[in-house]
Amino acid sequence: MTLTLDSKPHAASLAEIRAKVRDGARLSLAEGDVLYSTPDIWGVCELANEVRWRWHGDVAYYNINRHLNYSNVCALSCKFCEFYRKRDEPGAYTRDMDYVREEARKAVEAGATEIHSVGGLHPYLPWDYYPNLVRTIKETARAMGSDLHVKAFTAVEIVHLARIAKVYKGANDPTPEGRAARMEGIRWVLERLKEAGLGSLPGGGAEVFDDRVHDEAFKGKIRSDVWLDVHRVAHSMGLHSNATILYGHVEDRRERLVHMDMLRRAQDEALAGRAADCDGAAAPRGSFQAIIPLPFFPDGSDLEHLPGPAGLENLRTLAVARLMLDNVPHVKAFWIMQTLPMAQLMLQCGADDIDGTIVWYDITKVPQGSAEAATHQEVTVATLQKAIREAGFLPVERDTLYRTVTRNGNRWQVGGT
Ligand code: V47
């Protein structure tokens, strides 16, 4: 779906935008254009910081988490992606349940509250593998007297699973009946994953909601309407989710703003409890918890010739996301991709969360010599807390659902002591 921006006879000034934001009014796309084009980047950051304070006061969040990429084998070949491998390519891997169990065990021992698990669109793994993965993590944690929230599978993977399970009907049917059939397949998958212990959906796979960008950089992936429908169904079932925007490659700033607008409309729907085709949900509906702007890393991808976004563009995009997405409570500066010093700066420009301790991350690699050094990216809790304090905020450990965590060493609980 490609939308055009609304136009105004004159561009608003930053002062006018500030007045609107202070009134709690929604910014138009044309005003988003101004936020992007004004040379007063600190004015934009200051305003985003004001909104961030309104939401969260002096609190900034971190969590203790682990990433588990179950496989990098992928049927797609997105141009921006360096992570995927074909099945017989060197470096291709698929984790078995012993591996998953061991990772879950290590996560519990480290006091983690969350495992974030995603992978490529594996062409051969059977459907059962996926609920097994979730169940294995949950059961391992339970056997150790603990719990782990499983945040797993992007919307793109959920659709892939529906295809594997042969419940994804109406893929090429543009009618409302076709959409209803697709959503039914998505619901089938999510119900079974939820039953196995799935706690929420991560925000990946959204990239940029624009057909031109889609066809240029990630052709073959689901389009924006389907990505949003997966999250609609999840929300209707009471699952919370996140949203990302992958910026700084072949898209332009206007396309980023349209992406943000589409997300905030979907969030309006979720918050109003009016998600399409989702009547009669027993559990309270879910919604988008966080927006996570992800800067494009060109190295090793088919778009390696592009420069990728630089520091001030990263800062501005995060601040713009905070201002445009006025109905999404959390803005995450994902330190792994932004770097920790930049995440600190971002806390003063709209972000309220820097994500977690992480350990292994191999979707984007920070070159440090050996491949291993590049994917082993761990910080301690003390480092995260120090970074937050230095930025002028009070560090608060959260769980995946942004509930405060209290802990005694590796034992933890949600809420007060
Ligand atoms: O969907 C892939 C992106 C995403 C590159 O929900 C790249 O809490 C930059 O979604 N350069 C996965 N980005 C990561 C993700 C995420 C991360 C942290 C927290 C959460 C959350 C979600 O990474 C992919 C894709 O958009 N990606 N390749 C690249 N070369």
Side-chain angles (χ1 to χ4, degrees):
M1 190 191 303
T2 304
L3 297 182
T4 48
L5 294 178
D6 58 340
S7 54
K8 286 187 90 187
H10 76 286
S13 68
L14 192 53
E16 285 173 292
I17 292 175
R18 189 175 297 118
K20 238 178 128 171
V21 167
R22 286 183 177 156
D23 277 352
R26 176 159 289 186
L27 298 181
S28 69
L29 293 167
E31 285 157 345
D33 265 344
V34 174
L35 295 175
Y36 258 126
S37 58
T38 175
D40 184 6
I41 182 167
W42 297 116
V44 175
C45 284
E46 208 174 16
L47 198 53
N49 187 41
E50 207 176 302
V51 175
R52 173 245 186 280
W53 271 83
R54 213 191 279 160
W55 276 100
H56 304 292
D58 65 352
V59 164
Y61 296 100
Y62 67 93
N63 71 342
I64 301 187
N65 63 348
R66 292 290 182 269
H67 280 246
L68 167 58
N69 297 125
Y70 56 86
S71 176
N72 61 355
V73 176
C74 190
L76 298 178
S77 309
C78 298
K79 283 191 186 166
F80 64 78
C81 183
E82 196 276 328
F83 169 69
Y84 76 85
R85 296 288 181 277
K86 295 302 160 192
R87 191 161 68 148
D88 300 321
E89 236 182 286
Y93 64 80
T94 302
R95 308 305 188 193
D96 62 20
M97 289 307 140
D98 286 342
Y99 183 96
V100 171
R101 205 170 290 113
E102 181 59 12
E103 288 303 298
R105 191 190 61 72
K106 285 193 288 194
V108 172
E109 275 183 356
T113 58
E114 164 190 289
I115 286 204
H116 177 158
S117 186
V118 293
L121 305 190
H122 197 294
Y124 308 113
L125 278 177
W127 150 253
D128 281 357
Y129 175 91
Y130 301 91
N132 271 344
L133 176 110
V134 177
R135 213 173 288 116
T136 301
I137 295 170
K138 295 298 278 188
E139 282 172 3
T140 305
R142 265 187 221 120
M144 296 173 74
S146 189
D147 192 17
L148 277 171
H149 179 106
V150 181
K151 179 178 71 175
F153 312 120
T154 66
V156 186
E157 289 162 272
I158 296 295
V159 170
H160 180 64
L161 302 197
R163 287 184 200 275
I164 288 176
K166 300 196 175 3
V167 295
Y168 198 63
K169 314 281 185 214
N172 300 313
D173 180 352
T175 66
E177 291 74 29
R179 181 181 180 218
R182 291 192 293 277
M183 286 174 93
E184 203 177 302
I186 290 164
R187 179 178 291 277
W188 188 95
V189 166
L190 286 173
E191 275 171 357
R192 275 143 194 87
L193 292 174
K194 193 178 174 199
E195 226 170 75
L198 181 73
S200 62
L201 292 188
E207 321 314 0
V208 178
F209 294 155
D210 181 87
D211 283 351
R212 178 195 68 79
V213 179
H214 175 276
D215 292 352
E216 232 175 278
F218 42 97
K219 208 176 168 111
K221 217 168 215 181
I222 56 171
R223 288 183 190 271
S224 53
D225 53 343
V226 180
W227 191 96
L228 288 166
D229 273 348
V230 171
H231 286 257
R232 272 190 190 101
V233 176
H235 294 162
S236 78
M237 294 169 52
L239 291 169
H240 286 298
S241 69
N242 291 335
T244 54
I245 174 168
L246 174 67
Y247 64 91
H249 44 97
V250 302
E251 90 296 353
D252 60 32
R253 287 162 155 187
R254 308 183 110 225
E255 287 156 344
R256 291 180 209 165
L257 288 167
V258 172
H259 180 103
M260 292 177 197
D261 184 49
M262 288 168 79
L263 277 175
R264 74 182 172 182
R265 286 170 198 246
Q267 179 76 329
D268 281 343
E269 247 183 74
L271 293 177
R274 286 188 280 105
D277 305 328
C278 296
D279 295 336
R285 289 170 194 268
S287 58
F288 291 109
Q289 303 189 106
I291 169 76
I292 309 151
L294 300 174
F296 168 55
F297 275 57
D299 287 1
S301 77
D302 286 351
L303 298 176
E304 203 167 25
H305 55 283
L306 297 176
L312 287 183
E313 189 66 5
N314 292 335
L315 214 51
R316 192 196 291 260
T317 297
L318 184 125
V320 171
R322 168 60 84 187
L323 291 167
M324 296 301 289
L325 283 155
D326 54 8
N327 53 4
V328 175
H330 302 285
V331 177
K332 190 187 284 191
F334 184 46
W335 72 264
I336 283 277
M337 289 198 198
Q338 302 284 8
T339 76
L340 201 50
M342 183 58 104
Q344 281 187 301
L345 206 48
M346 287 174 164
L347 287 174
Q348 300 197 341
C349 301
D352 63 285
D353 182 14
I354 57 173
D355 206 75
T357 45
I358 297 176
V359 182
W360 292 97
Y361 194 73
D362 59 2
I363 293 182
T364 50
K365 298 175 179 58
V366 179
Q368 298 166 26
S370 76
E372 182 148 303
T375 55
H376 185 247
Q377 299 176 57
E378 181 176 16
V379 292
T380 62
V381 168
T383 304
L384 292 176
Q385 289 180 341
K386 180 167 176 277
I388 290 173
R389 277 202 196 93
E390 267 180 16
F393 294 95
L394 179 71
V396 170
E397 185 186 345
R398 63 163 177 86
D399 74 347
T400 312
L401 304 177
Y402 288 87
R403 296 173 300 191
T404 303
V405 169
T406 49
R407 69 169 57 240
N408 181 7
N410 292 345
R411 312 300 300 177
W412 57 272
Q413 62 180 38
V414 176
T417 44

